[in-house]
Amino acid sequence: MDKPTFTHIVYSGMGGTADYVLNLIKGDTLKTVDHQIIFYGVEAVSEALKTFAEEITKNVVSIQKQPGIDKAALKTLEATLAQSQPSLITLHVNSLIYHLPKLAPNRTKIAFIEHQANHLKSKKELAWSILAQIKADFVVSLTAHYQKQLRSKLGLFYRQKKNHLIPTGIDLNDYKKENENEPLKIGMVARINALKDHETLLKAFTELAPNNAELHLAGNGDLLEKYKMEYAKDTIYFHGFVPQAKIPHFLSQLSIYVQASFGETSSVAVMQARATGLPIIGSNVQGLNNVLNAKDAILVETKNINAMKAALQLLIENKDKRLELSTASLKFAKENLDHKKMFNSFKALYS
């Protein structure tokens, strides 16, 4: 009997959705499903990401679209799906929820994955969430807190039976922290845009000016060049796009991880930092303060430079505190980040 096919439609640029999907596929350790990845978006998928994806599943397709409604790209997507005949589509490009039910083969089920923080959704993004409740077969939230928020935000549009909670999983074997040396390396992995609070981190680090620490930022984004000019220091490093295959190595070199953000769903980057065993500083915002707490991380208010400086100084100067939070990160990862369980939960949707 032929194995079912799961097609994962992922945005083509840098972001946590690609990591999420690659870990989902790796969770299929018994190879019970044929997996297809379709990279779709206005950005060209990088060769490094495409190559890495092909190491996990050979069936990788790239569809680069024009801004707005690109009928040619949609036609290509329809032809691709007609050929693969997937049993289940996991949709991570939320704007496609309007078109996908018309493009997918009749018997294909669609699982819409909620990746955007509820309180940061634009009117358009909120409309996609409402459409998903109507058009998708399943809507997946990554945390119980997020699902509760979604139910409250959508009100009468929320379809109880369609909604499922599937926590993020990570292949823990990929992550390992190297021995710590000075200068200590503080890092963050995220797109550098208005949804993240890089500026507070950069200002705090610049004002603190530690002589035994460096700041390393991985990610592209529309604010990258601005920050490179404003914060040109020999202890601040902008790495730009770091391929998914190299993120474990990037994290392994760090001593402290910071997620400075105005909102998250559950943050794949934070999960990766926990799997690495890093002490974490996180913004006290929805999507982070429900997966981080005062016992296993340090939470700081957004745009509060003094609070960020104090958190950085504490971890830079206090090795015991770093060790305490590092141990807490590893404990959380071992108890909660099972990528095999994540895959089996998706397989249960189809079954």
Side-chain angles (χ1 to χ4, degrees):
M1 183 177 178
D2 291 339
K3 290 190 285 188
T5 297
F6 287 4
T7 293
H8 311 280
I9 304 179
V10 185
Y11 182 66
S12 56
M14 180 186 176
T17 59
D19 289 310
Y20 182 92
V21 165
L22 294 172
N23 279 291
L24 192 163
I25 295 172
K26 290 172 74 176
D28 183 12
T29 55
L30 299 179
K31 310 298 181 186
T32 58
V33 168
D34 288 327
H35 294 274
Q36 176 185 50
I37 297 176
I38 300 177
F39 288 108
Y40 186 93
V42 294
E43 296 182 53
V45 62
S46 71
E47 283 302 316
L49 175 54
K50 187 176 180 183
T51 299
F52 184 47
E54 288 172 344
E55 292 175 1
I56 296 171
T57 178
K58 296 298 182 184
N59 193 350
V60 178
V61 178
S62 300
I63 302 174
Q64 187 173 3
K65 67 181 290 291
Q66 298 300 314
I69 298 174
D70 185 336
K71 293 182 179 179
L74 291 172
K75 190 173 182 180
T76 301
L77 177 60
E78 183 177 24
T80 303
L81 295 173
Q83 183 176 14
S84 59
Q85 291 290 311
S87 302
L88 178 72
I89 294 173
T90 70
L91 178 59
H92 308 266
V93 182
N94 293 355
S95 60
L96 278 174
I97 188 58
Y98 178 80
H99 302 282
L100 192 59
K102 303 174 185 177
L103 305 178
N106 287 335
R107 288 180 290 180
T108 299
K109 302 293 185 182
I110 298 172
F112 179 94
I113 318 303
E114 285 278 6
H115 286 291
Q116 176 62 296
N118 281 304
H119 69 289
L120 295 179
K121 285 178 179 174
S122 64
K123 289 182 179 179
K124 184 182 291 186
E125 289 167 330
L126 181 59
W128 295 335
S129 289
I130 292 172
L131 276 175
Q133 297 290 327
I134 299 167
K135 292 179 173 288
D137 296 282
F138 315 104
V139 177
V140 174
S141 295
L142 309 185
T143 70
H145 180 77
Y146 184 96
Q147 190 177 59
K148 183 179 179 181
Q149 286 182 325
L150 186 67
R151 184 188 300 114
S152 175
K153 197 170 187 70
L154 299 186
L156 293 175
F157 290 107
Y158 188 85
R159 304 290 189 266
Q160 183 70 37
K161 291 184 178 180
K162 286 189 176 186
N163 283 268
H164 298 263
L165 172 61
I166 303 180
T168 301
I170 297 236
D171 186 351
L172 300 181
N173 294 320
D174 289 344
Y175 298 91
K176 183 179 179 182
K177 188 174 181 293
E178 299 294 335
N179 292 329
E180 191 171 273
N181 297 302
E182 288 195 1
L184 300 177
K185 294 183 179 180
I186 303 161
M188 177 170 167
V189 180
R191 291 182 71 87
I192 301 178
N193 59 26
L195 296 177
K196 307 300 180 186
D197 195 17
H198 285 90
E199 190 161 29
T200 295
L201 173 58
L202 285 161
K203 285 182 177 179
F205 184 84
T206 300
E207 291 184 13
L208 189 63
N211 58 16
N212 62 334
E214 301 171 346
L215 180 60
H216 293 260
L217 301 177
N220 281 334
D222 52 15
L223 293 177
L224 174 59
E225 294 305 318
K226 175 178 183 291
Y227 290 155
K228 284 173 72 173
M229 288 189 292
E230 291 181 3
Y231 299 97
K233 289 176 60 69
D234 58 7
T235 54
I236 297 178
Y237 297 82
F238 293 91
H239 295 264
F241 173 72
V242 174
Q244 269 73 8
K246 295 185 178 180
I247 286 176
H249 176 72
F250 177 85
L251 292 173
S252 74
Q253 304 301 300
L254 301 182
S255 301
I256 300 165
Y257 186 80
V258 181
Q259 190 71 11
S261 174
F262 294 110
E264 303 282 346
T265 46
S266 65
S267 180
V268 171
V270 166
M271 301 302 123
Q272 292 170 326
R274 281 189 139 160
T276 307
L278 291 172
I280 297 172
I281 299 170
S283 297
N284 188 14
V285 295
Q286 295 177 21
L288 287 178
N289 59 16
N290 60 291
V291 295
L292 300 172
N293 59 65
K295 293 181 180 179
D296 62 19
I298 299 175
L299 292 172
V300 300
E301 300 301 322
T302 58
K303 297 186 177 181
N304 190 326
I305 298 169
N306 288 333
M308 181 65 78
K309 281 169 59 177
L312 290 172
Q313 187 169 21
L314 173 62
L315 291 187
I316 290 171
E317 296 180 355
N318 193 326
K319 186 174 182 178
D320 288 340
K321 187 64 176 179
R322 292 200 304 273
L323 180 59
E324 174 192 332
L325 296 186
S326 174
T327 301
S329 283
L330 288 174
K331 182 175 185 293
F332 180 94
K334 290 175 182 177
E335 293 177 354
N336 297 280
L337 302 181
D338 186 343
H339 68 319
K340 295 185 289 294
K341 184 177 180 180
M342 177 172 68
F343 166 74
N344 288 330
S345 296
F346 274 100
K347 190 176 179 183
L349 294 183
Y350 160 69
S351 302

